Amino acid sequence: MSESPALGVVERLRGALIVSCQAYPGEPMRDPDTMRRVALAARDGGAGGIRAQGLDDVRAIRGALGLPLIGLWKDGSEGVYITPTARHALAVLEAGADVVALDATDRPRPDGRPLVESIDAVRAAGGLVMADVSTYEEGVRAVALGADLVGTTLSGYTPATYDRTAAGPDLDLVERLAGTLDVPVVAEGRIHSPAQAARALERGAYAVVVGTAITHPTTLTGWFAAAVADGRI
């Protein structure tokens, strides 16, 4: 029996560097064609997958390259805003994403509907779901509800985990989830160096997502500018 396309996407992500190609509203790079070009550059550098935000960006990147594509739709700026409803999730899938990333924290969703509704909708339509979580318990729940992958994306960005933001990537969470769950665990969040990415794999991550440290020149410039201003270099 041949392997399903969905399972093939997951296997292609094993041990991969997934590059998050996103820009914030109002920034010079906030343009789908620019993100398409960034994704192509990431591919040429060795990326094994791309994570992209916004329907237009997903469409543009899907049409340009054949790497596994994790798509999401940020709607709002507070609370649950990463692909917050089933409607958003299905739109991301329709735009061309292989995997739909969504907020799987225990916070209330803006439409008042349960998380499982979004997961079921994507899977019924033939897509995969990456559950972005902030805690171990959220990861376990997401898998019980049917998520295909779990990412540590939101650790440090929810009220229960704000104290983790100064510690770099939450590799303890990666290791705990990877040692328990029977689905791939993707390390994501504050991975700012190749050494941290390698360490995430050593701690059990199936794949690693890096965004800011590769694709956000405003932040990168700020790091160097601050160091120069402080006289550290």
Side-chain angles (χ1 to χ4, degrees):
M1 182 178 295
S2 63
E3 182 182 70
S4 73
L7 291 176
V9 167
V10 173
E11 182 57 34
R12 289 176 67 191
L13 290 174
R14 183 188 298 272
L17 169 65
I18 302 166
V19 176
S20 181
C21 302
Q22 301 184 43
Y24 299 106
E27 293 184 338
M29 292 178 65
R30 179 56 267 158
D31 170 74
D33 188 60
T34 299
M35 289 298 102
R36 177 185 67 84
R37 293 170 184 270
V38 170
L40 288 170
R43 178 203 63 187
D44 291 350
I50 300 294
R51 178 167 162 127
Q53 190 284 130
L55 301 183
D56 290 340
D57 290 34
V58 170
R59 292 188 191 101
I61 293 170
R62 173 79 295 155
L65 77 173
L67 293 179
L69 177 57
I70 300 171
L72 59 138
W73 177 358
K74 291 181 179 178
D75 191 1
S77 58
E78 296 183 355
V80 175
Y81 63 87
I82 297 177
T83 322
T85 71
R87 175 180 67 85
H88 291 82
L90 288 174
V92 171
L93 186 64
E94 177 66 24
D98 299 300
V99 181
V100 177
L102 49 79
D103 183 316
T105 64
D106 60 8
R107 298 174 295 179
R109 309 179 77 77
D111 63 353
R113 306 295 298 173
L115 169 63
V116 69
E117 184 174 285
S118 294
I119 295 175
D120 285 349
V122 172
R123 299 193 76 199
L128 298 169
V129 173
M130 176 173 167
D132 290 349
V133 305
S134 67
T135 68
Y136 173 79
E137 292 76 16
E138 290 166 354
V140 171
R141 181 183 69 136
V143 173
L145 294 177
D148 300 285
L149 305 95
V150 170
T152 57
T153 317
L154 293 172
S155 176
Y157 300 103
T158 64
T161 64
Y162 284 150
D163 61 341
R164 303 183 197 178
T165 57
D170 192 347
L171 299 184
D172 288 341
L173 179 59
V174 170
E175 184 172 40
R176 189 179 181 196
L177 288 170
T180 303
L181 303 182
D182 58 1
V183 305
V185 173
V186 179
E188 181 172 7
R190 303 182 304 282
I191 297 174
H192 292 160
S193 71
Q196 288 177 333
R199 184 62 178 145
L201 291 173
E202 292 171 0
R203 297 284 290 271
Y206 187 87
V208 178
V209 175
V210 178
T212 297
I214 295 176
T215 62
H216 199 251
T218 300
T219 298
L220 291 169
T221 302
W223 291 347
F224 282 90
V228 170
D230 289 346
R232 292 198 295 269
I233 61 174

